[in-house]
Amino acid sequence: MMQFSSQAAPPQHTLLKPNPNNINGLFLDLSSPNNLFHNRPTRPWPGGFPTSSKALGSFNTAGCMEQLLAHCASAVEANDATLAQQLLWVLNNIAPPEGDSNQRLTSAFLRALISRASKSGSCKIFASAAGALAATASTLSDALHRFSAVELASFVDLTPWHRFGYSAANAAILEAVEGFSTIHVVDLSTTHCMQMPTLIDALSNRPEGPPILRLTAVSLTDGMQPPPLLDMSYEELGARLVNFARSRNVPMEFRVIHSSPSDGFSDVLDQLRVQQLVSDGEALVVNCQMMLHCIPEETAGTFSSSVGLTSCISLRSMFLKALRSLEPTLVTIIDEDADFTSPDVVARLRSAFNYLWIPYDTVDTFLPRGSEQRKWYEAGISWKIENVIAQEGLQRVERLESKGRWAQRMRNAGFRALGFGEEAVAEVKGMLDEHSAGWGLKRDEDDLVLTWKGHNVVFASAWVP
């Protein structure tokens, strides 16, 4: 675990006083929370609007914060700017961005709601507030860090969030490719091949000798890359990986496919079909690390059956069925175990709030306040929250589905679950021993699940045709 120097904690947050001349104090004219518009009727706060620090303190629990956020989202969707204003006033005062983990979580959702509100209907009045907020919120999602390869490798090692998937997938891959002299790994990963050095190292120690490794990395196009961001080209990254493999006596080829989840990674599938025509005796491994949920869950189209019924075609299911037709040796799917697919923003907000408290809670155990790494870590979470809440259509790439739903999709596509052996479990447990005691591991049918304080975080699954 990396060590960081501690810095002084930020000053204690104080309750903001409504001030019509201070847009940062309370977004627009809030000399009275019920007085956003002087020339239109206002709706009183249900049960009386809180105006004192003592009254606001009664809302300062995770459950109340979730309720306030949900009510605010409903008001935004209903274009009720007055009620939305009232709720934003309360949320702004009970959820400082430098507060405890629940307050920081709520503050990120507050920003996302302001961003959404500024785009629609009568709530467009918040546009100037959103701009002012973005200009002053330098510690959150307004400035994502671009990592060097060394920085990113150290960063992902700070927590099991990604390392869990690396360990489980590598163990499954090593078992599946035994006896193959050539291995083709297609890496659909949001962390830019950071899993590969460990896999290369393991392949170099095979009793029968290292295989030829052909690595295909998928780079997202259309500006759809979620954090973490990499501050180098994939060509440069590939050159470094090839040099590392050479140092381990592993012959390696690297190529990159620029593709988009918006069309179900059609470029990746097309090139794999071509490659399949010329490959012989090669193990094909498709490693999906938190990337498949970026495929939109809108339907790719509709068709009419012979009995006149109209059916929908899922882009995700189409991708998996096309993948199955390639007869891969192994497919690994590692992703976060939550559901952000609802078309209803309030339902999405509740689901995200009840999942994304976890990274805010964990960060307090391994990064001190004020550190650069903590700033980068929370900016990435804040970006995810804004994408879930404020974006729609193809711009909303954070569309997580639950472990059970992915398993159903895989079975429907013709895959069967492989499960994980004792060696894989031991490997993951050994990795978790390097981290804080809140992390845990459980087996759920054929899958492995990373937990935090007993709550599901990330699942790992392995599949064969």
Side-chain angles (χ1 to χ4, degrees), residues 65-105:
M65 289 177 181
E66 179 190 352
Q67 287 294 94
L68 287 168
L69 288 167
H71 286 311
C72 186
S74 295
V76 169
E77 293 306 282
N79 280 320
D80 190 337
T82 303
L83 181 56
Q85 171 73 11
Q86 295 171 342
L87 291 160
L88 290 170
W89 187 87
V90 177
L91 287 162
N92 185 67
N93 281 278
I94 65 175
E98 72 277 6
D100 63 28
S101 59
N102 284 327
Q103 289 171 322
R104 301 196 309 277
L105 170 69

Side-chain angles (χ1 to χ4, degrees), residues 145-163:
H145 181 68
R146 287 190 169 272
F147 291 85
S148 69
V150 173
E151 281 180 336
L152 183 55
S154 298
F155 188 74
V156 298
D157 280 347
L158 290 173
T159 167
W161 205 279
H162 295 289
R163 292 188 70 196

Side-chain angles (χ1 to χ4, degrees), residues 11-17 53 92-93 96 98:
Q12 185 67 31
H13 181 78
T14 56
L15 185 67
L16 297 176
K17 300 295 185 182
S53 176
N92 185 67
N93 281 278
E98 72 277 6

Side-chain angles (χ1 to χ4, degrees), residues 218-245:
V218 178
S219 173
L220 298 192
T221 57
D222 304 328
M224 300 182 74
Q225 176 65 49
L229 305 180
L230 187 65
D231 192 23
M232 67 170 58
S233 69
Y234 264 59
E235 288 71 22
E236 182 181 351
L237 176 67
R240 294 192 180 196
L241 285 170
V242 168
N243 287 335
F244 176 78

